């Protein structure tokens, strides 16, 4: 297994680690063959904060819930639609950072596909796909029946860097106040338990 600075896997299942500095290199090396074309980072409009603070600020568009800095980012979905995390303000949210070639991500995809529709309105699970080509990401979504779950296209790695994600699969669990209450690996049982508790 390749080793990168900041390896914190401990006893977790093996997963390839990627530092923010190595993200661009990983994009080219993981897909195989010709390096994928990447979009400029500024095409994914992200508020750059090293560690997203949990302080809530008044909503900009008149939504009922205040929008925390954690949810002040926008992106594109794998289908090319615009996405604003501010729309999820006031709800617990789970961000799932995955890569299409990642075996650990594949094993977790079935759990995500099973529970995400049940909790869509109470605890949205949002996939953040990175470290791969667009077609591979779309194929992953089809293969694991994730079509009913919102999936963001983060080939540039902007969101991975924003949330300081250094390995996949990583879950970032955000409470209804916009505070990150967990960041790291979750197996299917742990994920289901956390999402169920947040929905209660």
């Amino acid at each position: 297994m390749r080793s990168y600075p900041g390896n914190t896997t401990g006893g977790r299942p093996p997963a390839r680690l990627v530092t923010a500095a190595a993200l661009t290199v990983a994009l080219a090396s993981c897909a195989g063959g010709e390096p994928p074309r990447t979009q400029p980072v500024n095409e994914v409009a992200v508020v750059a904060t090293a560690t997203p603070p949990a302080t809530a600020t008044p909503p900009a568009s008149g939504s009922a819930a205040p929008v925390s800095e954690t949810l002040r980012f926008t992106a594109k979905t794998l289908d090319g639609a615009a996405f604003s995390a501010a729309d999820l303000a006031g709800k617990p949210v789970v961000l799932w950072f995955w890569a299409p070639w990642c075996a650990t991500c594949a094993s977790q995809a079935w759990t995500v596909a099973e529970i995400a529709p049940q909790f869509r309105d109470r605890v949205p699970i949002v996939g953040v796909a990175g470290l791969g080509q667009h077609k591979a990401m779309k194929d992953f979504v089809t293969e694991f029946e994730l079509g009913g779950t919102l999936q963001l296209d983060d080939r540039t790695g902007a969101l991975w860097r924003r949330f300081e994600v250094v390995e996949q699969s990583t879950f970032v669990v955000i409470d209804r106040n916009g505070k990150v209450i967990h960041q790291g690996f979750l197996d299917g049982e742990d994920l289901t338990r956390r999402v169920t508790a947040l929905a209660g």
Side-chain angles (χ1 to χ4, degrees), residues 35 50 57 122 159:
T57 55
R122 291 173 290 166
L159 293 178

Side-chain angles (χ1 to χ4, degrees), residues 77-97:
T77 69
L78 283 176
D79 294 325
F83 168 81
S84 174
D87 293 339
L88 303 177
K91 297 180 180 180
V93 179
V94 177
L95 301 179
W96 175 37
F97 291 82

Side-chain angles (χ1 to χ4, degrees), residues 8-193:
T8 57
T9 54
R12 300 175 186 161
R16 196 175 295 187
L17 303 185
V18 181
T19 63
L23 216 69
T24 304
V25 175
L27 280 167
S29 63
C30 295
E34 187 176 323
R37 296 177 183 173
T38 58
Q39 302 170 354
V41 172
N42 61 8
E43 288 191 15
V44 179
V46 180
V47 178
T49 55
T51 303
T55 305
T57 55
S61 58
S63 63
V67 180
S68 70
E69 288 300 318
T70 309
L71 295 178
R72 286 189 175 273
F73 67 86
T74 60
K76 294 285 187 182
T77 69
L78 283 176
D79 294 325
F83 168 81
S84 174
D87 293 339
L88 303 177
K91 297 180 180 180
V93 179
V94 177
L95 301 179
W96 175 37
F97 291 82
W98 60 268
W101 43 261
C102 167
T104 301
C105 304
S107 70
Q108 293 169 324
W110 295 118
T111 300
V112 173
E114 179 183 351
I115 69 172
Q118 301 174 38
F119 295 97
R120 180 180 292 116
D121 296 330
R122 291 173 290 166
V123 187
I125 299 177
V126 179
V128 186
L131 305 178
Q133 294 180 321
H134 185 260
K135 183 181 185 305
M137 294 171 179
K138 294 278 284 184
D139 289 346
F140 184 95
V141 169
T142 299
E143 179 179 355
F144 295 102
E145 301 175 5
L146 292 164
T149 307
L150 185 64
Q151 302 292 334
L152 304 182
D153 182 349
D154 194 37
R155 282 173 286 171
T156 64
L159 293 178
W160 288 56
R161 289 189 295 273
R162 183 181 197 271
F163 285 91
E164 299 184 330
V165 173
V166 296
E167 63 181 324
Q168 70 293 324
S169 169
T170 289
F171 289 93
V172 176
V173 182
I174 304 167
D175 70 12
R176 66 185 69 254
N177 297 314
K179 179 182 178 182
V180 175
I181 57 175
H182 172 84
Q183 180 160 336
F185 176 82
L186 289 174
D187 62 23
E189 184 178 334
D190 288 337
L191 176 63
T192 302
R193 183 170 57 248

